[in-house]
Amino acid sequence: MRVIQRCTILVTVAMAGLATVAAPAAAASAPGPLRAPTSCIRVSATIHVGRSPVGVAANRKTNTVYVANGGSKTVAVISGRTNTVTATISVGRSPGGVAVNRKTNTVYVTNGIDHTVSVISGRTNTVTATIPVAAPPGPGLAANPKTNTIYVGHPDLVSVISGRTNTVTATIPITGAPGQVAVNPKTNTVYVTGQSVFTVSVISGRTNTVTATIPAGLLPFGVAVNPKTNTIYVSNALDNTVSVISGRTNTVTATIPVGRFSGEVAVNPKTNTVYVTNRDDNTVSVISGRTNTVTATIPVGSFPGGVAVNRKTNTAYVTNQASNTVSVLTSCRR
């Protein structure tokens, strides 16, 4: 069961010719998470969604959360106010990545088997367009609300989609089986993890070209940006670490130990807090962006994968792939 679940991360590595069976052995032999003094964060709710939830995204303007149910061909719509599923939207086969453009109230979902991206209206909860892409899209998906541009990771390339026309306007060659994708809207810069080559590619959103390649740890997968500090956080699944990268110098400035087989990453710029899912530990590491230390380790559901933050409500959402649930993380003071 667990080997199958690992394919959520390792599918693009397999396409690049790497042996996926290497991941369980390496992850199992690595040390567990460093337990730090726990800050006051707790699981305040557990929400049941569809089968095998993978990607998750939050729209802070509408206080709505979207979850891709990889085994159900659906997207669950969650009210951040009531922590209940308010709608279920049918999409393509094997939905994985989710991204939101809060300015247009539009949701984007990758459908891995269908080679498409579903476009969903956040107002009506209906699919308004289906965009064909050139290769199987992975879980990597990000939107730049300032430019209304969407970036989709595939094996060895990134598709650039116009949110205005719902068409692919460019493809960018990427070395190393792209994992997750993140955008800094302030600098119009895109970051893509290269799983098989252990790097992060830096893309100019203006020219759609790779401007730098930054070495990371073993099997870098998750990536998130704090636009306020121009800092990038990358989870290294086989190192059980997070690389901290300066967006100004494109260099790794710190390496933070987290839990085993670290997955996706999310940042709350308002509190300068980073969340990392640890798939083999069934936990989330909470990192202070000020000190680059783990301040809490929170138990969640089975095989946590995706994580998203609503910085307006200071709430994090974690998909638990083997539990078919979403854990809601809030401050104890709420």
Side-chain angles (χ1 to χ4, degrees):
M1 175 73 172
R2 183 57 55 86
V3 174
I4 294 172
Q5 292 162 343
R6 282 182 186 276
C7 291
T8 301
I9 287 183
L10 296 174
V11 62
T12 49
V13 178
M15 291 175 182
L18 295 186
T20 61
V21 294
S29 63
L34 297 184
R35 299 286 173 173
T38 302
S39 61
C40 199
I41 296 175
R42 65 188 176 95
V43 175
S44 58
T46 301
I47 307 166
H48 289 271
V49 289
R51 292 198 311 271
S52 192
V54 188
V56 57
N59 186 339
R60 69 175 185 265
K61 289 186 77 174
T62 61
N63 196 12
T64 307
V65 182
Y66 301 90
V67 178
N69 299 313
S72 300
K73 297 187 289 186
T74 60
V75 170
V77 183
I78 296 171
S79 163
R81 185 178 61 82
T82 63
N83 287 330
T84 57
V85 175
T86 58
T88 302
I89 307 165
S90 295
V91 289
R93 291 176 295 174
S94 191
V98 187
V100 172
N101 184 337
R102 64 182 182 276
K103 285 195 171 181
T104 61
N105 195 12
T106 306
V107 186
Y108 300 89
V109 181
T110 59
N111 304 304
I113 294 178
D114 291 343
H115 298 195
T116 60
V117 173
S118 295
V119 183
I120 297 170
S121 163
R123 184 178 62 82
T124 63
N125 288 331
T126 57
V127 175
T128 59
T130 302
I131 306 169
V133 288
L141 183 66
N144 186 336
K146 281 197 170 182
T147 61
N148 197 10
T149 307
I150 300 88
Y151 300 90
V152 184
H154 310 272
D156 301 320
L157 64 91
V158 169
S159 290
V160 183
I161 293 174
S162 164
R164 184 178 61 82
T165 63
N166 287 331
T167 57
V168 175
T169 58
T171 55
I172 307 166
I174 297 287
T175 302
Q180 288 291 330
V181 182
V183 174
N184 186 338
K186 283 194 171 182
T187 61
N188 196 12
T189 307
V190 185
Y191 299 90
V192 185
T193 53
Q195 298 177 90
S196 61
V197 291
F198 312 144
T199 61
V200 178
S201 294
V202 183
I203 297 172
S204 164
R206 184 179 61 84
T207 63
N208 288 330
T209 57
V210 175
T211 58
T213 304
I214 307 166
L218 294 177
L219 195 69
F221 179 71
V223 59
V225 176
N226 186 337
K228 283 194 171 182
T229 61
N230 196 12
T231 307
I232 301 91
Y233 299 90
V234 176
S235 66
N236 305 301
L238 298 188
D239 277 351
N240 306 326
T241 61
V242 169
S243 297
V244 183
I245 296 172
S246 163
R248 183 178 61 84
T249 63
N250 286 332
T251 57
V252 175
T253 58
T255 302
I256 307 168
V258 289
R260 291 182 300 172
F261 207 66
S262 51
E264 293 193 29
V265 188
V267 175
N268 186 339
K270 188 177 178 181
T271 60
N272 198 9
T273 306
V274 185
Y275 299 84
V276 184
T277 57
N278 304 308
R279 293 173 181 255
D280 275 3
D281 290 337
N282 298 332
T283 62
V284 172
S285 294
V286 183
I287 297 171
S288 163
R290 183 178 62 83
T291 64
N292 287 331
T293 57
V294 174
T295 59
T297 303
I298 313 297
V300 289
S302 181
F303 208 68
V307 57
V309 171
N310 182 339
R311 72 185 192 190
K312 192 171 182 180
T313 61
N314 194 18
T315 306
Y317 300 88
V318 178
T319 59
N320 304 304
Q321 190 175 350
S323 300
N324 300 332
T325 60
V326 171
S327 296
V328 183
L329 275 56
T330 57
S331 167
C332 298
R333 291 185 293 273
R334 286 191 62 187

